[in-house]
Amino acid sequence: MNLAVVGLQWGDEGKGKIIDWLSSDSDFIVRFQGGNNAGHTVVINGKKFVFHLIPSGILRKGKVCVIGNGVVIDPEILIEEVTRLRKEGIEITPKNLKISLLSHLIMPYHRNLDALREKRRTNKIGTTKRGIGPCYVDKFSRCGIRVIDLIDPDVFKDKLADNLREKNPLFKDVFGAEPFSFEEILSQYSEFARILRPFAADTVETLRRAQEDKKSILFEGAQGTFLDIDFGTYPFVTSSNTISSAAGAGSGFPFLKIKKVLGVAKAYTTRVGQGPFPTEVEGKYSNFLREKGGEFGATTGRPRRCGWLDLVLLKRAAQLNGVTSLALTKIDVLDELSDIEICTSYKYKSKTAKNFPLSIKEWSSIKPVYRKFKGWNKPTTSIRSYAKLPTRTKDYINIIEDYLKLKVEFISVGSLREAVIKR
Ligand code: IMP
């Protein structure tokens, strides 16, 4: 069966772990948006594998990993990732890794522009400075450079020259920064082209054939619903659509053929970067969640902001994504807490908010309303069956299921690969 796995919060929901689990039953694993702003961590036999661009399904033999047209690729990072994973004993060949010819490339000027714009902004977004936003801007303003252009030297030269003609004055005159050298980028990217050419493919055709052969395809979302460029807490969002419907446009696969959407939510909430976060807490609970949950960015190492589970947010996310079932991760992080809070509604101007907040003004004035919950105070990390979970843990899960009218299908109880309960 074809399914999409998406994050229901602000990213870092632990999707990597769930995707790794599910990829054992999938033949193809596809990234469809974002770039190396993402970071998935998978722990196998105590060894940590970090992924930024390549789907974590690459860890399993016989799977085909696809980087779809909706992804923005920093070729330097992709090559580094391939080299690092190969050193760690993972086999990566043009047979098990396919990159869409239509994916857009992150160029050195995108990374610089990302950092310079961020520095100038009064209301900083807290981007990962990986050049994601500027690369998508170029894609939509139709001056982007794609993988298909990279491997055609004449086209590449032409497009690079055009871009530098426009961008170098911007760097020099607006930002007082160094311009980029055509020759340097050309020589660096020609080498990238040589290395990446064998992996470049018409991945629309790859996936069409997969479908014809009745293979099962897993679409791996990056970031999370509230970082979506349209439906997130704009402008504190990323520059792509992160919701499940982006899986179609970001891969060229007919979206009606994706039958299942698994929404991944952490048992509490975190956010990295700036922007609204109604259930954010400070002080002892925040520190506890950050330390116990290892809440530091896999990409930038930044400490994540931490807070309580927000069911209002999850409901909206479930609706936006058409979630068919849920995965709840890091439940074990709450094991030692006697008091837990769960946000069940928002107050706006001291009344229960009727509508989901859309403007930053509304976001900053709503107040979360909490349901107090007594914790289970028992370790759950070694539990592998739902029946054996403490009753209070099951109560916590029931509250989520009742509120969202969705079943929690997977519960992750630790960082180990096998620390998952499947119901
Ligand atoms: P950008 O995607 O680098 O432009 O960053 C925009 C916002 O999205 C910032 O708040 C980042 O911290 C956040 N962000 C981007 N990718 C991820 C991710 O994979 N996990 C969590 N936050 C992310």
Side-chain angles (χ1 to χ4, degrees):
M1 202 205 321
N2 303 328
L3 87 155
V5 180
V6 288
L8 301 184
Q9 292 153 325
W10 280 285
D12 311 316
E13 295 91 352
K15 295 181 290 297
K17 162 92 184 288
I18 299 294
I19 288 162
D20 172 57
W21 217 85
L22 289 168
S23 56
S24 68
D25 290 331
S26 309
D27 304 301
F28 287 71
I29 300 105
V30 185
R31 273 281 304 265
F32 56 88
Q33 47 73 225
N36 62 305
N37 46 352
H40 285 176
T41 309
V42 180
V43 184
I44 302 170
N45 300 331
K47 192 166 165 41
K48 215 168 156 181
F49 294 90
V50 181
F51 298 88
H52 295 292
L53 274 165
I54 301 177
S56 55
I58 204 85
L59 292 174
R60 297 187 187 268
K61 280 214 169 3
K63 313 288 172 189
V64 180
C65 291
V66 173
I67 299 183
N69 55 280
V71 176
V72 287
I73 299 178
D74 187 326
E76 189 172 359
I77 301 295
L78 178 59
I79 292 166
E80 263 174 36
E81 197 159 309
V82 170
T83 314
R84 172 171 51 79
L85 288 167
R86 277 179 174 162
K87 271 196 198 135
E88 288 168 341
I90 311 298
E91 194 185 9
I92 305 181
T93 70
K95 276 213 164 94
N96 69 349
L97 177 67
K98 300 195 183 287
I99 306 164
S100 170
L101 283 159
L102 303 180
S103 299
H104 280 250
L105 295 177
I106 295 182
M107 305 294 293
Y109 46 79
H110 291 140
R111 288 191 298 261
N112 270 36
L113 198 53
D114 196 359
L116 289 168
R117 291 191 75 189
E118 185 69 2
K119 204 165 160 196
R120 280 247 174 136
R121 277 189 190 109
T122 333
N123 293 315
K124 298 197 188 307
I125 295 171
T127 77
T128 59
K129 301 199 179 85
R130 302 298 192 258
I132 307 293
C135 182
Y136 278 115
V137 166
D138 279 1
K139 169 174 175 171
F140 284 92
S141 59
R142 290 159 294 175
C143 62
I145 306 182
R146 300 168 302 169
V147 173
I148 197 166
D149 308 321
L150 175 73
I151 60 177
D152 182 329
D154 293 335
V155 176
F156 184 79
K157 278 185 211 156
D158 214 34
K159 291 203 168 191
L160 178 61
D162 242 11
N163 269 287
L164 291 185
R165 213 170 4 253
E166 179 195 54
K167 282 167 179 106
N168 272 344
L170 176 73
F171 283 109
K172 277 192 294 189
D173 304 338
V174 176
F175 290 104
E178 284 296 307
F180 284 87
S181 145
F182 174 86
E183 292 305 331
E184 267 175 38
I185 299 182
L186 179 64
S187 113
Q188 193 187 25
Y189 275 63
S190 302
E191 178 60 7
F192 296 157
R194 190 187 64 74
I195 301 170
L196 293 180
R197 184 176 280 111
F199 297 96
D202 176 1
T203 52
V204 173
E205 184 56 16
T206 310
L207 297 178
R208 190 196 63 74
R209 282 211 200 115
Q211 177 69 11
E212 201 171 77
D213 297 342
K214 308 253 178 320
K215 301 288 186 198
S216 73
I217 308 173
L218 188 157
F219 293 86
E220 158 174 346
Q223 289 86 46
T225 300
F226 295 97
L227 288 173
D228 184 281
I229 184 77
D230 287 296
F231 305 108
T233 46
Y234 191 90
F236 304 100
V237 293
T238 190
S239 295
S240 62
N241 282 113
T242 58
I243 58 171
S244 61
S245 43
S251 68
F253 189 77
F255 75 93
L256 282 178
K257 296 204 164 117
I258 304 172
K259 299 294 177 203
K260 182 173 166 173
V261 178
L262 181 72
V264 186
K266 193 141 55 179
Y268 48 98
T269 314
T270 61
R271 172 163 204 168
V272 56
Q274 305 306 305
F277 180 176
T279 61
E280 181 170 20
V281 288
E282 275 162 23
K284 79 170 184 185
Y285 284 117
S286 177
N287 294 338
F288 175 85
L289 294 171
R290 188 174 306 112
E291 290 307 321
K292 174 116 197 258
E295 297 296 353
F296 298 90
T299 299
T300 57
R302 288 180 288 177
R304 296 179 186 142
R305 299 156 63 192
C306 298
W308 300 118
L309 186 70
D310 183 340
L311 291 177
V312 183
L313 207 69
L314 287 193
K315 183 157 218 156
R316 174 83 167 183
Q319 291 165 348
L320 279 164
N321 288 287
V323 167
T324 53
S325 62
L326 298 163
L328 191 64
T329 61
K330 293 192 158 184
I331 193 101
D332 57 300
V333 174
L334 305 181
D335 284 353
E336 291 150 55
L337 289 178
S338 310
D339 298 299
I340 298 172
E341 310 216 42
I342 308 171
C343 168
T344 52
S345 62
Y346 293 156
K347 281 225 150 144
Y348 182 60
K349 295 187 176 159
S350 46
K351 290 203 185 102
T352 305
K354 286 206 181 70
N355 302 318
F356 191 79
L358 296 180
S359 71
I360 284 298
K361 257 193 183 159
E362 284 172 297
W363 273 111
S364 14
S365 36
I366 54 148
K367 296 268 174 290
V369 179
Y370 289 112
R371 169 175 176 172
K372 293 200 180 306
F373 184 86
K374 282 270 161 241
W376 45 92
N377 271 297
K378 288 189 181 115
T380 57
T381 299
S382 51
I383 298 176
R384 297 289 176 267
S385 90
Y386 187 74
K388 294 207 171 117
L389 279 175
T391 311
R392 300 292 298 149
T393 317
K394 287 191 228 166
D395 290 345
Y396 191 76
I397 295 168
N398 282 342
I399 292 173
I400 300 170
E401 292 190 322
D402 283 350
Y403 194 98
L404 300 180
K405 307 272 179 293
L406 284 167
K407 193 162 161 89
V408 173
E409 195 186 346
F410 295 94
I411 301 146
S412 161
V413 291
S415 59
L416 296 180
R417 186 180 223 180
E418 58 278 10
V420 178
I421 300 171
K422 159 108 172 80
R423 283 167 87 192

